[in-house]
Amino acid sequence: MDIRGATRSLLVLTGRVINDVVSFIVFCFLDLLDVLLCFVYKILDFFMEAEWKPCYCSSGKEAITSSGKILVSERGESKIISLSSTKLQLEDISDTLYSRPSLVSEISKSTIKELKRLKIDGTTIRSSERIKNGTLRSTFTINSTIVDMLQEKIGGQQLHPVPRWSDCDCRACTSWSSSCKETLYVRVEGPSREDKAREDVLFIHGFISSSVFWTETLFPNFSDDTKSSYRLIAIDLLGFGRSPKPTDSLYTLREHVEMIERSVLEAYKVKSFHIVAHSLGCILALAIAVKYPGAVKSLTLLAPPYFPVPKGEQANRYVLRKVAPRRVWPLIVFGSSIVCWYEHISRTACLIVCKNHHFWESLTKLVTRNRMRTFMFDGFFCHTHNAAWHTLHNIICGTAGKVDEYLDAVRDQLRCDVTVFHGRDDELLPVECSYAVQSRIPRADVKVIDRKDHLTIVIGRQKTFARELEEIWKKSSSG
């Protein structure tokens, strides 16, 4: 047994070393490739749209301010001021959008610093207040071409075409642009409020997904009693599925939550409701639950992306490293690392896959002879790079410092049941994330499902999960 144990440990160590070495080589190459693609897309954008498209690898502030926002940096934290015809709004963005260290950036850091020292920025306003002994009390920087931005807002100019040349322009992906209503796509099943539906249930999908994650799996498997008593409401988040995909949005937490409020809570006159959320959707579910503590009847979270941030760590970057550790194995982690770290490589993936999603769906049907259900193609491929990139960084990374507050508020202010499901084989978000949620909310019931991962926690066990949800709702109603 000792020999077997030592052999196994040696093999694990060897595998880890190989993974580290291969990962280093691969990601060094990807660092260089992303820089090359940066120049390629600038040229293509200019020829296709007659303008340069700012990006975060070359100028993070320019990329943000080009969307009609003013970037404000204060003590290492980033916020934007959104300008509208009626109000100014200050909201958080993640600095991982424009500060993701790579080998290339580390090597060139000293050169860039020297160039910045020589550069004169005439549009930067700096304000600082120093106390008598000379220490800095408060510092903020606003970096933008404010006059030009205000002219764009007042003139109502559209910064980029809808859709952009690299986005899909099929009817399903652009159906929102022909509607005068700026609301999310909402799929509702069950009795209407006029038919006296007993309760409402809000389903929030995760990253790079859509409402079909629920409607094609759970909805057909609910009992007749549930379908006659509950109004089941599944949404496509802003930027995904058939929902609006504005090119000038930064897809912040506020924008996502306000769209859910406008499209569901207000439009369907929802007063009290259950929430079921998966992955990234769990963060939005927590934000909504904290905003409406008296309205939430039960909170069910699947694979929540919660990583407690150690003291002294910068929250946004810590979570980025946990979600995307820049490793080639497991494959789902490799994919996550590419999506999180490389703006232009991920845009290329969207160009190849999302813009041509009908081709890939047809090819899959041809190869499998229609034996494979392709409903998930609508979920995974119907989004824009702009929506996916900003949602990933501003929701998962950008809220890293807020999730603790949300969980504490759920623990102290909400009386509803909290249930957490997690696949034991989830290689993207480890099961420790759910146990960490339980450590903040002791009453949370954590259910770890063996031999299930990030997606098969629902897909493949939809009948069982439908029964589990029905029990949760009945229990919360009877309580």
Side-chain angles (χ1 to χ4, degrees):
M1 292 297 293
D2 292 339
I3 296 177
R4 287 184 178 181
T7 303
R8 181 177 301 176
S9 299
L10 180 61
L11 291 175
V12 170
L13 179 61
T14 303
R16 189 177 302 166
V17 171
I18 293 174
N19 192 19
D20 289 344
V21 173
V22 174
S23 297
F24 177 80
I25 296 172
V26 169
F27 282 96
C28 284
F29 169 75
L30 293 178
D31 288 343
L32 295 171
L33 177 61
D34 202 58
V35 173
L36 175 63
L37 288 174
C38 173
F39 293 101
V40 171
Y41 278 115
K42 283 188 180 297
I43 295 172
L44 290 175
D45 288 341
F46 182 78
F47 280 103
M48 295 290 186
E49 300 173 353
E51 65 175 339
W52 301 108
K53 168 62 179 173
C55 62
Y56 289 102
C57 64
S58 59
S59 177
K61 294 178 175 61
E62 183 184 0
I64 292 171
T65 56
S66 71
S67 64
K69 312 291 193 300
I70 299 176
L71 177 65
V72 180
S73 299
E74 182 175 7
R75 295 183 180 180
E77 297 181 356
S78 300
K79 299 179 184 291
I80 55 173
I81 299 176
S82 302
L83 300 175
S84 69
S85 59
T86 58
K87 59 183 176 180
L88 295 176
Q89 292 174 316
L90 185 66
E91 54 189 319
D92 295 312
I93 62 167
S94 175
D95 64 358
T96 58
L97 279 168
Y98 54 86
S99 59
R100 301 175 310 283
S102 65
L103 180 65
V104 174
S105 64
E106 290 298 324
I107 292 175
S108 61
K109 185 180 295 184
S110 58
T111 304
I112 293 175
K113 285 183 178 180
E114 290 300 319
L115 291 175
K116 284 184 176 180
R117 288 179 59 187
L118 300 175
K119 183 180 179 181
I120 300 175
D121 187 352
T123 62
T124 300
I125 304 173
R126 297 184 181 275
S127 173
S128 62
E129 181 182 352
R130 299 179 180 276
I131 51 180
K132 293 181 179 179
N133 61 5
T135 58
L136 186 66
R137 178 180 296 173
S138 175
T139 300
F140 68 88
T141 302
I142 302 176
N143 191 313
S144 62
T145 310
I146 299 177
V147 175
D148 291 343
M149 195 183 314
L150 288 172
Q151 288 176 342
E152 289 174 353
K153 281 294 179 178
I154 294 172
Q157 298 177 13
Q158 186 173 319
L159 297 176
H160 302 293
V162 180
R164 302 200 66 210
W165 70 269
S166 56
D167 297 331
C168 179
D169 58 356
C170 73
R171 181 177 300 178
C173 290
T174 60
S175 59
W176 63 274
S177 61
S178 61
S179 174
C180 59
K181 295 182 179 179
E182 294 185 359
T183 57
L184 302 177
Y185 173 80
V186 182
R187 172 78 177 272
V188 181
E189 290 191 12
S192 64
R193 178 56 63 187
E194 288 72 17
D195 294 332
K196 297 182 179 179
R198 190 166 69 223
E199 295 177 14
D200 293 316
V201 185
L202 173 61
F203 292 84
I204 307 175
H205 63 79
F207 181 61
I208 308 185
S209 186
S210 75
S211 56
V212 298
F213 184 77
W214 310 111
T215 59
E216 296 291 335
T217 56
L218 290 180
F219 281 27
N221 288 289
F222 285 122
S223 65
D224 292 337
D225 180 60
T226 295
K227 293 179 181 178
S228 63
S229 302
Y230 293 86
R231 187 165 58 167
L232 309 174
I233 305 172
I235 60 172
D236 288 351
L237 290 175
L238 182 68
F240 298 87
R242 299 192 178 188
S243 284
K245 304 173 181 67
T247 56
D248 61 346
S249 172
L250 292 179
Y251 296 88
T252 61
L253 180 68
R254 178 192 63 81
E255 290 175 293
H256 278 289
V257 171
E258 285 187 355
M259 284 295 282
I260 295 175
E261 291 174 316
R262 184 189 313 158
S263 307
V264 178
L265 304 187
E266 297 174 6
Y268 291 89
K269 297 179 173 59
V270 176
K271 302 301 180 184
S272 63
F273 53 99
H274 304 268
I275 303 180
V276 181
H278 176 244
S279 191
L280 174 144
C282 294
I283 297 176
L284 301 176
L286 290 171
I288 293 171
V290 170
K291 194 170 184 178
Y292 299 91
V296 179
K297 306 193 72 171
S298 72
L299 184 60
T300 303
L301 307 177
L302 287 79
Y306 173 53
F307 297 92
V309 181
K311 188 175 181 180
E313 288 277 0
Q314 187 172 350
N316 297 350
R317 298 185 186 184
Y318 177 80
V319 171
L320 175 64
R321 293 194 300 271
K322 299 296 288 187
V323 174
R326 290 167 65 91
R327 291 291 180 270
V328 297
W329 189 264
L331 289 178
I332 192 171
V333 172
F334 179 56
S336 173
S337 298
I338 290 178
V339 171
C340 291
W341 286 88
Y342 300 108
E343 180 179 3
H344 304 291
I345 295 177
S346 58
R347 184 181 178 185
T348 303
C350 283
L351 174 62
I352 295 172
V353 177
C354 299
K355 186 176 177 64
N356 303 287
H357 64 92
H358 290 297
F359 166 77
W360 297 112
E361 183 177 356
S362 300
L363 181 62
T364 301
K365 289 181 178 180
L366 178 64
V367 172
T368 63
R369 297 181 181 180
N370 286 320
R371 288 195 296 265
M372 178 184 291
R373 296 183 67 192
T374 57
F375 68 88
M376 292 305 292
F377 278 77
D378 288 338
F380 288 113
F381 297 161
C382 292
H383 63 271
T384 64
H385 171 255
N386 181 61
W389 179 257
H390 287 95
T391 296
L392 174 65
H393 284 277
N394 284 334
I395 303 303
I396 289 187
C397 299
T399 62
K402 293 183 176 181
V403 177
D404 285 347
E405 299 175 8
Y406 290 157
L407 294 173
D408 292 344
V410 170
R411 178 193 64 209
D412 300 332
Q413 300 175 19
L414 275 71
R415 297 182 179 180
C416 67
D417 291 334
V418 179
T419 309
V420 185
F421 290 86
H422 213 117
R424 191 177 298 278
D425 297 335
D426 193 330
E427 295 177 318
L428 180 63
L429 299 173
V431 69
E432 285 76 18
C433 291
S434 288
Y435 287 129
V437 170
Q438 189 181 46
S439 70
R440 306 289 300 204
I441 309 175
R443 73 174 186 275
D445 183 13
V446 176
K447 300 179 183 294
V448 178
I449 312 300
D450 291 329
R451 295 185 296 279
K452 298 299 176 183
D453 57 29
H454 196 68
L455 295 177
T456 57
I457 188 69
V458 174
I459 300 173
R461 64 180 299 271
Q462 48 263 36
K463 291 183 178 180
T464 301
F465 187 49
R467 301 288 86 78
E468 292 169 337
L469 285 177
E470 290 171 342
E471 289 299 318
I472 292 172
W473 301 337
K474 289 179 181 178
K475 179 182 176 183
S476 63
S477 299
S478 61

